[in-house]
Amino acid sequence: QYDKASIDDGGFQVKAAVAGGSPHPFQLDTGSSGMAIGVNYVGSDYKNYPCFGPGQFKYNPSENLLQGDWYLLPVSLISAASGNPTADSVCMVLVVTSVTDGDGNVTNDYKGGMMGVSAKGENIAYNVLLNASLPGQNGAAATQLASAYALTKTACTIGQTHVAGDGYDVVNLQPVTPPALPALVGVPTTNLSTPIGPAWSMPSVVATFSSGGVAQAVTAAFEMDTGIDSMLVVVPSGTIPASFVGTPATSGQATFVDGVLVTVTVPGSLAVTALKQWILNYSFTTGSGAADPAPSCVILMPPPTNTVGDMVRVNVGIHPLIKHNYLYDAQNGVIGMQLIS
């Protein structure tokens, strides 16, 4: 159960204790990988654990930049219902020492927290939900949970895999070689076993944009992102007609103008019926105040760098979760959507 859940105000909030520190709030973010916590809120002995050197997160569309050092750290996941730890995990955590917001303001005290659990082919060590186990009771060994999770509007279920008849329409993912972790820096005094598991390619999405008799279809990687309420379109320069967007900001981001019809379709696999060849399908018109799952706005992002996590893609944001549940089964290579209304 989440500590806080609001589609339009901060998304899904959970609590976790990192490296023996106090419980700290985190935003559950399916649009990024790895955790981020301020240096003042992590356990005091975090430097004893494996360090992988400097790193950073740059979040879009906010352009907030977090900088610090990567560590492989133990994490206790805390239930909002009981206030007690319910699962233990290990994850790559950016211990943040500097934050620069989108306006250029800098602080060394990062009070926020991000729990990135994306499905973009990353190394499983960056996803805290895929490495979780239940603590053993009365001296018994811990029980490893399946590398999978499901999200609803009220809770995250860790270890939930896809089974026939569970109500999820699914797309089967293709295996990819997981990227290696950065080089270890120094010699840790407290060792942890590095999580090992499969990595999967992102499913495809077909997004069509049309206005004034002009239409442009884009086939890209599909991204569900609980960290934002907008839609991000990341494509090569010139793909989207210039008349569809406003004047770009200095960041290169350009918001779609009103009146553009957007259709989003994520094709499914064999589990989808013959009459329903998709796991997600909806349309809306920008600027029309359309009902959910329409995003708050659609933003054309700068062209992709074609590095890990930054490829040609359509990020649909959090709004589809108003009418669907979401499943990422990394154990079996499946992403699923379950219509709830």
Side-chain angles (χ1 to χ4, degrees):
Q1 183 177 341
Y2 306 127
D3 281 86
K4 175 186 174 184
S6 175
I7 295 290
D8 295 308
D9 184 18
F12 304 142
Q13 305 288 324
V14 298
K15 284 186 178 177
V18 181
S22 299
H24 188 76
F26 290 85
Q27 182 178 17
L28 193 62
D29 181 19
T30 59
S32 67
S33 60
M35 295 177 66
I37 187 172
V39 66
N40 297 325
Y41 308 97
V42 66
S44 59
D45 64 348
Y46 75 93
K47 289 187 177 180
N48 294 340
Y49 291 93
C51 177
F52 294 85
Q56 66 180 37
F57 281 119
K58 187 172 184 180
Y59 295 99
N60 287 313
S62 67
E63 296 201 292
N64 292 336
L65 177 65
L66 311 185
Q67 295 175 295
D69 289 285
W70 283 111
Y71 287 84
L72 184 67
L73 298 175
V75 179
S76 292
L77 301 167
I78 297 170
S79 167
S82 67
N84 298 318
T86 57
D88 296 324
S89 189
V90 174
C91 187
M92 290 288 284
V93 180
L94 185 70
V95 179
V96 179
T97 54
S98 175
V99 181
T100 305
D101 68 20
D103 296 321
N105 302 306
V106 180
T107 179
N108 296 324
D109 184 18
Y110 176 57
K111 294 182 171 63
M114 297 298 291
M115 185 179 287
V117 294
S118 63
K120 294 190 283 190
E122 303 93 343
N123 190 301
I124 198 173
Y126 287 91
N127 194 319
V128 68
L129 299 184
L130 302 185
N131 306 309
S133 61
L134 299 177
Q137 302 296 323
N138 301 319
T143 301
Q144 188 70 34
L145 295 171
S147 295
Y149 67 84
L151 300 181
T152 71
K153 290 187 289 186
T154 59
C156 170
T157 302
I158 305 171
Q160 180 175 331
T161 58
H162 171 59
V163 295
D166 63 5
Y168 279 91
D169 296 322
V170 302
V171 55
N172 296 323
L173 309 177
Q174 297 300 311
V176 296
T177 301
L181 297 180
L184 192 66
V185 176
V187 179
T189 58
T190 304
N191 280 302
L192 292 174
S193 296
T194 303
I196 298 174
W200 305 94
S201 62
M202 300 165 70
S204 293
V205 59
V206 179
T208 302
F209 307 90
S210 56
S211 178
V214 177
Q216 177 64 58
V218 172
T219 299
F222 166 71
E223 183 174 12
M224 172 73 68
D225 190 346
T226 57
I228 61 173
D229 63 5
S230 54
M231 174 185 286
L232 308 183
V233 180
V234 186
V235 292
S237 296
T239 302
I240 301 298
S243 61
F244 286 12
V245 298
T247 302
T250 55
S251 63
Q253 300 179 18
T255 301
F256 275 64
V257 299
D258 294 352
V260 178
L261 176 63
V262 182
T263 299
V264 175
T265 302
V266 181
S269 297
L270 297 179
V272 181
T273 67
L275 297 178
K276 182 183 175 186
Q277 299 296 325
W278 37 263
I279 67 169
L280 184 66
N281 178 260
Y282 62 97
S283 298
F284 63 91
T285 300
T286 56
S288 66
D292 293 310
S296 60
C297 64
V298 181
I299 302 173
L300 179 62
M301 300 297 293
T305 59
N306 295 319
T307 56
V308 175
D310 186 23
M311 67 294 290
V312 174
R313 65 193 187 280
V314 174
N315 179 333
V316 298
I318 193 174
H319 275 218
L321 293 186
I322 289 178
K323 295 187 176 184
H324 297 81
N325 296 329
Y326 172 76
L327 175 73
Y328 177 38
D329 181 352
Q331 179 166 293
N332 298 302
V334 162
I335 279 179
M337 302 294 294
Q338 181 184 51
L339 184 65
I340 57 176
S341 65

